[in-house]
C-alpha cells in the first residue's frame, strides 16, 4: 500500500481504534469483524466500506493489518468528508477530520454511558479539534480496555446485577433513550453514553438486547463508567485537552464508541479532570431524586451505601469515596456531596484512581447550583465547577483550604474594614463626642486608605501587636488577627485606648470618653476599658509597644493616625520630646506637627522656648494644644472627610475651648476637654475631638508618669519644631485635596504631639502649684512665730 | 517511637512508627487493656479517660508509657510512647487522643464502614501519620 503519513493526532486516533479492534490482542491484526463493525459505524454505505477495504489492501491480505487499518481509517475520513476515495488522496489531503464512527444501536445500548450523551454534547463533540479527539480517543480507548476485560468475567453476574438495578432505572433509561435519539440525530456522535453510565442503575435496560444486555450490562455499564470518568487525573490522555467540556471529540472509538463518547465528553469536561459535566450533573441529580425526592435534602448514609454498593466497587473504595465526598462529615449526602460521590464512583469505575483529597471541582458549593445542596455545606466551600460552568478551576484557590481561604478572605476583608474602621474610629475618638461616630465608620470605610500613613502605621502597629501577642484589646494590629467582630471593637478600643491608657487620672476621663463614643459602638466602650489597662503608651515612650500594650503608640495617639505614627516609629522616639509623647512619634507626625501648628502655633512658639516656667509655657501650649488637637482631629478625620478643611476653623474654636479646659485640674480639664471636644465635635462632623482629648490625656498621663520637667523642654522643643515647620497648611483648602489631607494629617499629628505636651505640662503645673501651696502654708505657719 | 492502637477488645487499627519489634507492643497493649477495663468499671468516672495510665511498665530495659482513652462506646485508643521521648506532655497526649477520636468518628460516619471492621480509612491514616510525625 501506499505509504501513509499520518498526523500525530491521526496517529494516535488510529492506534486507538486499532487497539480497540484488536480484540485478539495480537497488536498486529484487527479482526475483521471488529473492523467491519467499526467501518459500518462510520456510517458509510456498504459499497464504500468495501471499496475502502479493497483499497487498503485488506481484501488482499484477508485481514486488517495495522497499516491497512490505518489506511482504511483515513479512507473513511475521506469518505466522510465527501472526498473521492483515492489512494493518492490519502496523503494529499490535509486537515482531514478524523473519521467518525457512530456506534450501532445495539452497541449504543449496551454501551451507554449515561448521561453524557446529550445531543448538545454530541454536537459539541464533533467540532472538536482533532487534537482533542485524539486525546479523547486515547482515554476512551484506555477506558475501553479496562472495560473489555470486565466484560468477560461478568456475564454471570449480569442477572443478579440486573435485578437490583431495577430501581434507578428510569432515569438511565430515559437517558438512554434520549441519547439514542440524540445519536440518531447525530450521525457522528456516539450516543453511547446514555444508558450505561451507571452500571448499578442500569438495571433493566429493556432496550438493549437481552443477550447483550446480560452479557454486557455489567461491562457496558462499566464501560460507560469508564467513559464517565474521562478525566481522571491519572488519565491516560496525554493530550488531555485543556478545553473543558464538551471537548469530547467526535471521535468515538468503535467498540467502545459509546464509552468513548462519554469518555471524551468527560474528558473534555475536565480541564480539571474532576469536573462534572452538565450531563453528568443532571444524571446525578436524577439519581439523587430517586433516593431522595427533595433536592435540598440529605441522603442518609444507609441509603447512599446501598446505592453505591450497586456500583460494585470494593467496599474499601466506596468507603474512601465516602470519606472524600461527605464534606461536612454528617453521615449524609447533600446533592453536591452526592454528585461528587457519584462522580468519583464513575471515575473509579473507569479505572481512574481515587484522589487523596477531594478535587476542587467536586467540592460542595457554598451556593449550590441547583440550590439544592445548600444544606450543610460548609460555608467556605468553593463553588463547583461542575455544572454549567465547568470551569473555573481557578475558582478555589486551593480547594482543600477552601475554608481557610474563605476565612482568610473574610479576615482580610474584615481587616480591611477594621482598617477603615480604625481610621474612622480613631477619628471619632479624636472628636470624642463626635456624633459622627456612626457616620465615621462609614466614611472611614469609604476611605480604604484612611490615612496614608496609617497603612504603614497600622501595619507597624499590627506588627507590634503581633509581637506583643496582643489580644483583642489591642487596637490596631490585633484587630487584624482577630475575628471580625472584634475588629471593630479593637479598633475602637485602640483609639480609645490611649485615652484610657495608663494614666489613672488621665483616664478617668476615659469613661466619659467612652461615653462619648457611645454612638460609635458599645464595643468601643469595652475597648476603652481595655485600653485603660494599657497605660504603656504613656509610660513607655519607647516606640516598641510594651508587651501589655501593643500599641504604645496607639494608646497614645488619640487618633488612629497618631497611633500609626507612633507605631511607625516604635523604634525609638524620634525626638526626645517625641518620645515623651505616645511612643514613637513617627517622623510624620513631627513634620505635621511642625506644619500644623503654624498658625496656632505661633502663640505656642513664643512660649515654647521658655519652658522654665510651666505656666507661661503651658499657656501657650494650651492654645496650641487646642489647635493641635483640632488639627489632629482634623488629620484624623482626613481619611474620613476629605473636605474637612473647614475643620480648621472648627479646630480653632476647639482649641480655644480646649485650652480653657486644659487649665483646670487634670480631670476637670479632661472633662472639659471632652466637653470642649464634644462641642467641637458637634461643630465639626469629623472626629476631631477625640484625638485631642486622648492626646491631652496622654500628655497628662505623661506628666503624671514622668513628672520630669525635662519633658517640658523637650516638649517645647517639639512644639517649637512643630510650630516652626508649620506652614499654613490648614489654609490650603483651595489646594489639592491630597495636599490638604496630608497637611491635615500632619496637623493632626502635630496636634497630638502638642496635646500630649500640653497635658504633661499641665501636670507639671499642677504639681508646682501644689508645692507652692504647701510652701505658702508653711510660710504662714512660720510667720506668726516670726511675729512673735 | 510511638504507637497507636485502636481497639474494641481486639485491635481495629495499629500503627507504629518503628515498625519493628511490634510483638512486644502487642503484648503491652494487651496488658494495658486490663488496666483500662479496670478503670472503666470504676466508679462513675467519665468514660473518656483521656489519660489512663502511666504504667509501671517501666522496665529497666523497656521504658515506655502507655496512655489509654476510652470512648462512650467502649472503643479504646492506646498510645505507646517511648519514655525517652519526654517531649510529649500530657496535654499533647490528650490532644492526640482527641484527634484520634474525631477521626474515628468520621470513620464511623462512613456508611461503608462496619463497626468492628479494621479501619482502612486513608483519612484516618493520614491523621495518624501527622500525629506520629509530630510526636517523633
Amino acid at each position: 500500500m501506499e505509504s501513509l503519513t499520518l498526523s500525530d493526532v491521526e496517529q494516535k486516533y488510529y492506534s486507538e481504534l486499532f487497539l480497540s479492534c484488536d480484540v485478539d490482542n495480537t497488536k498486529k491484526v484487527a479482526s475483521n469483524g471488529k473492523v467491519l463493525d467499526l467501518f459500518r459505524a462510520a456510517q458509510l454505505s456498504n459499497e464504500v466500506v468495501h471499496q475502502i477495504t479493497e483499497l487498503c489492501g485488506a481484501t488482499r491480505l484477508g485481514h486488517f493489518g495495522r497499516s491497512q487499518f490505518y489506511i482504511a481509517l483515513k479512507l473513511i475520513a475521506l469518505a466522510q468528508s465527501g472526498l473521492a476515495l483515492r489512494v493518492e488522496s490519502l496523503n494529499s489531503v490535509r486537515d482531514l477530520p478524523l473519521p467518525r464512527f457512530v456506534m450501532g444501536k445495539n452497541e449504543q445500548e449496551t454501551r451507554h454511558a449515561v448521561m453524557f450523551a446529550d445531543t448538545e454534547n454530541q454536537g459539541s463533540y464533533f467540532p472538536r479539534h482533532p487534537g482533542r479527539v485524539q486525546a479523547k480517543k486515547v482515554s476512551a480507548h484506555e477506558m475501553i480496555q479496562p472495560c473489555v476485560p470486565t466484560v468477560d468475567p461478568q456475564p454471570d453476574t449480569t442477572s443478579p446485577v440486573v435485578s437490583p438495578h431495577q430501581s434507578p432505572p428510569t432515569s438511565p433509561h430515559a437517558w438512554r433513550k434520549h441519547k439514542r435519539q440524540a445519536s440518531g440525530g447525530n450521525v457522528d456522535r456516539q450516543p453511547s453514553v446514555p444508558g450505561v453510565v451507571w452500571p448499578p442503575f442500569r438495571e433493566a435496560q429493556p432496550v438493549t438486547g437481552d443477550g447483550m444486555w446480560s452479557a454486557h450490562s455489567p461491562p457496558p455499564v462499566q464501560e460507560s463508567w469508564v467513559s464517565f470518568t474521562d478525566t481522571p487525573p491519572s488519565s491516560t490522555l496525554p493530550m488531555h485537552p485543556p478545553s473543558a467540556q464538551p471537548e469530547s471529540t467526535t471521535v468515538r472509538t468503535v467498540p467502545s464508541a459509546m464509552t468513548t463518547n462519554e469518555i471524551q465528553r468527560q474528558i473534555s469536561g475536565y480541564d480539571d479532570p474532576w469536573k462534572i459535566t452538565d450531563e453528568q450533573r443532571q444524571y446525578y441529580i436524577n439519581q439523587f431524586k430517586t433516593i431522595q425526592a427533595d433536592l435540598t435534602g440529605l441522603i442518609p448514609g444507609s441509603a447512599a451505601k446501598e446505592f453505591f454498593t450497586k456500583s460494585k466497587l470494593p467496599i474499601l473504595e466506596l468507603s474512601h469515596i465516602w470519606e472524600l465526598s461527605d464534606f461536612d462529615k454528617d453521615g449524609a449526602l447533600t446533592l453536591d456531596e452526592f454528585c461528587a460521590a457519584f462522580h468519583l464512583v464513575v471515575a473509579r469505575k473507569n479505572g481512574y484512581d481515587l484522589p487523596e483529597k477531594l478535587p476542587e471541582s467536586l467540592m460542595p458549593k457554598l451556593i449550590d447550583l441547583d440550590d439544592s445542596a445548600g444544606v450543610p455545606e460548609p460555608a467556605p466551600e468553593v463553588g463547583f465547577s461542575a455544572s454549567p460552568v465547568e470551569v473555573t478551576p481557578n475558582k478555589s484557590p486551593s480547594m482543600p483550604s477552601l475554608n481557610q481561604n474563605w476565612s482568610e478572605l473574610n479576615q482580610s476583608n474584615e481587616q480591611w474594614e477594621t482598617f477603615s474602621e480604625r481610621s474612622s474610629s480613631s477619628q471619632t475618638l479624636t472628636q470624642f463626642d463626635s456624633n459622627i461616630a456612626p457616620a465615621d465608620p462609614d466614611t472611614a470605610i469609604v476611605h480604604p486608605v484612611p490615612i496614608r500613613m496609617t497603612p504603614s502605621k497600622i501595619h507597624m502597629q499590627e506588627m507590634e501587636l503581633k509581637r506583643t501577642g496582643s489580644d483583642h484589646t489591642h487596637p490596631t494590629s490585633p484587630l487584624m488577627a482577630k475575628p471580625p467582630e472584634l475588629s471593630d471593637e479593637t479598633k475602637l478600643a485602640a483609639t480609645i485606648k490611649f485615652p484610657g491608657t495608663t494614666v489613672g487620672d488621665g483616664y478617668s476621663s476615659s469613661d466619659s470618653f467612652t461615653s462619648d463614643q457611645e454612638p460609635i459602638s458599645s464595643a468601643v466602650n469595652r475597648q476603652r476599658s481595655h485600653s485603660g489597662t494599657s497605660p504603656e503608651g504613656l509610660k513607655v515612650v519607647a516606640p516598641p509597644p510594651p508587651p501589655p500594650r501593643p500599641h504604645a503608640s496607639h494608646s497614645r495617639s488619640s487618633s488612629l493616625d497618631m497611633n500609626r505614627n507612633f507605631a511607625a516609629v516604635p523604634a525609638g522616639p524620634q525626638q526626645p520630646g517625641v518620645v515623651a509623647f505616645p511612643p514613637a512619634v513617627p517622623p510624620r507626625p513631627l513634620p505635621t506637627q511642625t506644619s500644623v501648628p503654624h498658625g496656632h502655633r505661633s502663640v505656642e512658639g513664643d512660649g515654647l522656648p521658655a519652658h522654665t516656667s510651666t505656666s507661661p509655657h503651658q499657656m501657650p501650649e494650651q492654645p496650641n494644644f487646642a489647635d493641635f488637637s483640632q488639627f489632629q482631629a482634623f488629620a484624623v478625620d482626613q481619611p474620613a472627610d476629605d473636605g474637612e478643611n473647614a475643620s480648621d476653623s472648627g479646630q480653632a474654636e476647639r482649641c480655644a475651648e480646649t485650652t480653657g479646659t486644659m487649665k483646670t485640674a487634670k480631670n476637670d480639664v479632661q472633662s472639659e476637654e471632652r466637653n470642649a471636644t464634644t462641642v467641637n465635635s458637634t461643630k465639626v462632623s469629623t472626629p476631631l475631638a477625640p484625638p485631642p482629648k486622648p492626646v491631652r490625656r496622654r500628655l497628662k498621663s505623661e506628666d503624671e508618669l514622668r513628672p520630669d520637667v525635662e519633658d517640658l523642654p523637650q516638649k517645647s522643643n517639639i512644639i517649637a519644631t512643630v510650630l516652626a515647620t508649620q506652614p499654613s497648611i490648614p489654609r490650603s483648602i483651595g489646594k489639592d485635596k491630597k495636599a490638604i489631607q496630608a497637611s491635615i494629617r500632619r496637623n493632626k499629628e502635630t496636634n497630638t504631639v502638642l496635646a500630649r505636651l500640653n497635658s504633661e505640662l499641665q501636670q507639671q503645673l499642677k504639681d508646682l502649684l501644689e508645692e507652692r501651696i504647701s510652701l505658702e502654708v508653711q510660710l504662714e505657719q512660720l510667720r506668726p512665730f516670726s511675729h512673735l | 517511637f510511638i504507637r497507636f492502637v485502636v481497639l474494641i477488645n481486639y485491635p481495629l487499627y495499629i500503627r507504629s512508627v518503628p515498625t519493628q519489634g511490634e510483638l512486644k507492643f502487642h503484648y503491652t497493649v494487651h496488658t494495658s487493656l486490663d488496666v483500662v477495663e479496670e478503670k472503666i468499671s470504676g466508679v462513675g468516672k467519665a468514660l473518656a479517660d483521656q489519660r489512663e495510665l502511666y504504667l509501671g511498665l517501666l522496665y529497666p530495659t523497656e521504658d515506655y508509657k502507655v496512655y489509654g482513652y476510652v470512648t462512650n462506646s467502649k472503643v479504646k485508643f492506646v498510645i505507646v510512647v517511648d519514655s525517652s521521648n519526654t517531649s510529649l506532655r500530657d496535654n499533647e497526649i490528650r490532644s492526640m487522643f482527641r484527634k484520634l477520636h474525631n477521626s474515628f468518628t468520621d470513620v464511623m460516619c462512613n456508611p461503608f464502614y462496619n463497626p468492628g471492621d479494621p479501619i482502612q480509612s486513608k483519612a484516618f491514616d493520614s491523621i495518624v501519620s501527622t500525629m506520629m510525625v509530630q510526636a517523633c
Side-chain angles (χ1 to χ4, degrees):
Chain A
M1 302 282 346
E2 300 73 15
S3 62
L4 186 61
T5 56
L6 298 174
S7 66
D8 286 349
V9 168
E10 287 177 341
Q11 182 71 31
K12 288 186 186 130
Y13 183 34
Y14 292 172
S15 60
E16 285 179 56
L17 289 174
F18 186 78
L19 286 172
S20 64
C21 292
D22 190 2
V23 280
D24 294 334
N25 255 345
T26 60
K27 301 273 191 289
K28 275 192 304 185
V29 176
S31 69
N32 278 7
K34 281 273 192 181
V35 171
L36 290 177
D37 284 346
L38 179 68
F39 290 171
R40 274 195 285 279
Q43 312 223 325
L44 300 171
S45 66
N46 280 346
E47 306 136 8
V48 175
V49 171
H50 287 319
Q51 191 176 6
I52 289 173
T53 317
E54 282 180 15
L55 281 174
C56 73
T59 318
R60 270 189 289 116
L61 292 177
H63 62 266
F64 279 94
R66 186 177 281 270
S67 59
Q68 284 78 41
F69 187 77
Y70 287 178
I71 292 169
L73 288 175
K74 190 118 194 210
L75 290 172
I76 289 172
L78 281 173
Q80 285 175 339
S81 324
L83 300 172
L85 288 179
R86 285 259 179 287
V87 172
E88 301 79 31
S89 59
L90 280 176
N91 290 333
S92 61
V93 176
R94 295 276 171 262
D95 296 329
L96 193 62
L98 292 169
R100 304 181 297 277
F101 298 95
V102 178
M103 297 279 301
K105 287 276 175 149
N106 288 343
E107 288 177 338
Q108 289 173 2
E109 290 176 3
T110 53
R111 306 231 183 67
H112 282 303
V114 175
M115 351 202 288
F116 315 111
D118 275 348
T119 30
E120 10 302 355
N121 288 341
Q122 293 174 349
S124 60
Y125 295 149
F126 187 80
R128 270 297 97 138
H129 184 53
R132 302 218 198 98
V133 172
Q134 283 298 334
K136 300 219 173 89
K137 286 226 57 149
V138 172
S139 62
H141 179 69
E142 309 230 354
M143 304 283 183
I144 297 166
Q145 294 269 344
C147 291
V148 173
T150 58
V151 177
D152 304 330
Q154 309 223 356
D156 49 335
T157 59
T158 54
S159 39
V161 169
V162 172
S163 45
H165 293 176
Q166 297 291 339
S167 50
T170 50
S171 31
H173 289 309
W175 275 103
R176 254 173 323 128
K177 286 192 181 126
H178 173 67
K179 293 205 176 122
R180 259 178 262 129
Q181 292 162 4
S183 60
N186 300 332
V187 175
D188 300 333
R189 296 265 142 184
Q190 280 211 315
S192 58
V193 172
V196 173
V197 172
W198 186 241
F201 308 107
R202 228 1 104 108
E203 343 189 322
Q205 309 233 337
V207 180
T208 60
D210 290 346
M212 265 171 93
W213 183 242
S214 58
H216 292 290
S217 51
V221 166
Q222 287 160 6
E223 287 175 14
S224 59
W225 278 106
V226 170
S227 56
F228 249 115
T229 48
D230 285 353
T231 55
S234 61
S235 93
T236 54
L237 308 171
M239 306 173 38
H240 195 63
S243 60
Q245 281 220 339
E247 286 212 77
S248 50
T249 56
T250 53
V251 178
R252 317 240 181 237
T253 50
V254 173
S256 55
M258 310 212 301
T259 53
T260 310
N261 276 344
E262 295 165 356
I263 293 171
Q264 291 172 352
R265 221 168 306 161
Q266 308 281 334
I267 296 174
S268 57
Y270 293 106
D271 267 340
D272 167 5
W274 296 104
K275 270 188 243 174
I276 301 181
T277 65
D278 292 346
E279 291 176 332
Q280 290 172 317
R281 192 160 187 83
Q282 200 51 48
Y283 183 77
Y284 297 154
I285 292 172
N286 292 339
Q287 291 298 313
F288 184 93
K289 284 187 191 144
T290 63
I291 307 177
Q292 159 75 281
D294 178 15
L295 285 183
T296 62
L298 296 170
I299 291 185
S302 52
K305 175 181 177 179
E306 278 178 40
F307 186 80
F308 286 110
T309 309
K310 292 189 209 152
S311 69
K312 306 182 79 62
L313 283 180
I315 293 290
L316 186 58
E317 294 187 10
L318 289 173
S319 174
H320 189 220
I321 289 174
W322 175 276
E323 275 179 3
L324 290 177
S325 58
D326 187 8
F327 201 72
D328 45 14
K329 299 278 181 265
D330 59 355
L333 296 181
T334 66
L335 182 63
D336 274 346
E337 291 172 344
F338 177 82
C339 292
F342 205 132
H343 203 64
L344 288 169
V345 173
V346 171
R348 190 79 189 101
K349 275 280 184 187
N350 284 318
Y352 292 103
D353 292 333
L354 294 175
E356 287 303 318
K357 282 182 158 302
L358 193 63
E360 291 185 10
S361 55
L362 293 181
M363 285 272 183
K365 299 190 311 293
L366 193 46
I367 300 172
D368 188 20
L369 289 175
D370 308 312
D371 289 331
S372 59
V375 188
E377 298 294 344
E381 290 169 6
V382 170
F384 261 124
S385 50
S387 345
V389 183
E390 296 258 34
V391 152
T392 59
N394 50 17
K395 260 189 206 170
S396 54
S398 51
M399 292 310 299
S401 60
L402 262 187
N403 296 330
Q404 299 150 10
N405 291 338
W406 186 79
S407 57
E408 286 168 9
L409 285 176
N410 286 345
Q411 276 197 357
S412 60
N413 292 338
E414 294 156 354
Q415 292 174 2
W416 182 87
E417 289 167 357
T418 56
F419 231 93
S420 55
E421 289 174 359
R422 259 190 292 175
S423 54
S424 61
S425 59
S426 64
Q427 296 172 1
T428 55
L429 282 176
T430 53
Q431 294 185 349
F432 285 139
D433 296 338
S434 60
N435 303 324
I436 301 155
D440 282 344
D442 296 340
T443 54
I445 293 172
V446 169
H447 302 267
V449 185
I451 292 160
R452 268 167 267 156
M453 287 174 42
T454 45
S456 58
K457 288 192 185 183
I458 290 179
H459 250 327
M460 302 196 60
Q461 286 172 343
E462 292 172 10
M463 288 176 349
E464 291 177 17
L465 288 174
K466 284 171 187 166
R467 273 189 288 116
T468 59
S470 57
D471 53 14
H472 67 281
T473 56
H474 296 308
T476 55
S477 53
L479 290 181
M480 302 306 235
K482 295 199 214 146
E485 59 272 15
L486 288 178
S487 59
D488 295 342
E489 296 176 5
T490 53
K491 283 190 306 192
L492 292 175
T495 53
I496 298 172
K497 259 174 107 170
F498 67 78
T501 53
T502 64
V503 184
D505 60 348
Y507 291 76
S508 59
S509 59
S510 61
D511 293 341
S512 60
F513 183 73
T514 51
S515 61
D516 294 337
Q517 299 297 330
E518 291 293 3
I520 297 175
S521 75
S522 57
V524 174
N525 294 337
R526 268 181 291 145
Q527 297 292 330
R528 299 274 174 92
S529 54
H530 284 299
S531 58
T533 58
S534 60
E536 62 170 352
L538 294 178
K539 290 186 235 168
V540 181
V541 175
R549 283 153 303 205
H551 299 284
S553 60
H554 185 75
S555 58
R556 281 336 194 74
S557 58
S558 56
S559 65
L560 194 58
D561 288 344
M562 290 305 294
N563 289 342
R564 290 198 217 97
N565 293 340
F566 297 137
V569 188
Q574 306 190 345
Q575 302 170 359
V578 176
V579 175
F581 295 18
V585 175
R588 272 268 201 105
L590 293 179
T592 57
Q593 288 173 356
T594 57
S595 63
V596 168
H598 62 289
H600 309 273
R601 300 323 176 249
S602 57
V603 178
E604 299 165 354
D606 298 342
L608 286 178
H611 273 283
T612 51
S613 62
T614 58
S615 45
H617 177 68
Q618 288 173 354
M619 287 301 298
E621 284 185 12
Q622 286 173 1
N624 295 340
F625 177 75
D627 293 343
F628 288 141
S629 61
Q630 299 194 354
F631 279 114
Q632 184 162 15
F634 195 85
V636 173
D637 291 338
Q638 176 119 28
D641 308 328
D642 288 353
E644 282 266 285
N645 299 325
S647 60
D648 286 342
S649 56
Q651 287 177 350
E653 294 175 357
R654 281 192 291 276
C655 288
E657 296 173 357
T658 54
T659 51
T661 56
M662 288 297 291
K663 302 202 177 145
T664 57
K666 266 195 293 197
N667 292 341
D668 293 344
V669 174
Q670 288 173 349
S671 56
E672 286 181 4
E673 289 171 358
R674 270 173 294 167
N675 297 335
T677 53
T678 52
V679 175
N680 296 336
S681 61
T682 54
K683 290 174 194 161
V684 181
S685 60
T686 60
L688 292 180
K693 254 205 308 193
V695 172
R696 290 193 219 106
R697 293 217 192 90
R698 277 197 303 270
L699 290 177
K700 290 202 181 121
S701 59
E702 289 175 354
D703 291 342
E704 296 168 356
L705 296 176
R706 293 171 281 111
D708 298 335
V709 182
E710 300 145 5
D711 293 343
L712 289 178
Q714 291 174 349
K715 292 172 194 167
S716 62
N717 293 338
I718 295 168
I719 293 174
T721 53
V722 170
L723 292 173
T725 59
Q726 180 122 31
S728 62
I729 291 180
R731 316 285 180 204
S732 62
I733 293 179
K735 293 177 188 169
D736 214 11
K737 239 190 188 181
K738 277 193 179 176
I740 294 170
Q741 291 175 0
S743 67
I744 290 173
R745 206 175 311 130
R746 287 193 292 277
N747 291 344
K748 284 184 181 172
E749 293 164 357
T750 311
N751 281 345
T752 312
V753 173
L754 292 172
R756 278 194 302 265
L757 269 176
N758 197 354
S759 63
E760 290 175 1
L761 292 171
Q762 295 280 327
Q763 182 65 39
Q764 291 178 3
L765 173 61
K766 287 178 188 155
D767 294 340
L768 289 171
L769 288 174
E770 289 174 5
E771 286 177 18
R772 186 185 161 214
I773 292 170
S774 64
L775 287 172
E776 286 180 0
V777 167
Q778 290 176 11
L779 183 59
E780 285 291 324
Q781 293 170 355
L782 291 171
R783 256 195 217 134
F785 290 47
S786 64
H787 278 315
L788 299 176
Chain B
F1 72 87
I2 191 167
R3 186 155 204 269
F4 296 89
V5 181
V6 180
L7 50 141
I8 311 178
N9 296 325
Y10 60 88
L12 293 182
Y13 181 86
I14 299 178
R15 190 91 171 274
S16 311
V17 162
T19 50
Q20 59 278 11
E22 293 210 16
L23 275 184
K24 175 174 69 173
F25 304 135
H26 279 290
Y27 171 72
T28 308
V29 170
H30 194 75
T31 54
S32 66
L33 264 186
D34 291 336
V35 186
V36 174
E37 289 293 337
E38 181 186 321
K39 294 206 175 203
I40 298 179
S41 60
V43 198
K45 277 179 82 170
L47 283 183
D49 281 328
Q50 296 223 354
R51 160 88 184 247
E52 167 211 26
L53 26 99
Y54 182 83
L55 280 190
L57 284 181
L58 280 168
Y59 302 144
T61 53
E62 45 186 10
D63 47 341
Y64 46 85
K65 308 174 204 166
V66 183
Y67 298 98
Y69 181 100
V70 180
T71 69
N72 291 340
S73 52
K74 299 287 196 298
V75 177
K76 301 162 192 71
F77 301 94
V78 176
I79 297 180
V80 181
V81 297
D82 196 0
S83 282
S84 58
N85 187 3
T86 54
S87 62
L88 281 180
R89 291 193 309 265
D90 188 56
N91 282 341
E92 294 173 6
I93 300 284
R94 285 179 194 270
S95 72
M96 281 163 63
F97 275 127
R98 223 172 301 126
K99 282 190 215 163
L100 270 179
H101 196 173
N102 289 337
S103 312
F104 181 74
T105 309
D106 291 341
V107 169
M108 275 293 173
C109 282
N110 190 332
F112 297 101
Y113 171 77
N114 299 319
D117 287 351
I119 296 175
Q120 287 160 322
S121 150
K122 292 187 195 154
F124 191 81
D125 286 342
S126 67
I127 292 190
V128 173
S129 305
T130 311
M131 289 200 294
M132 289 200 304
V133 166
Q134 285 172 0
C136 299

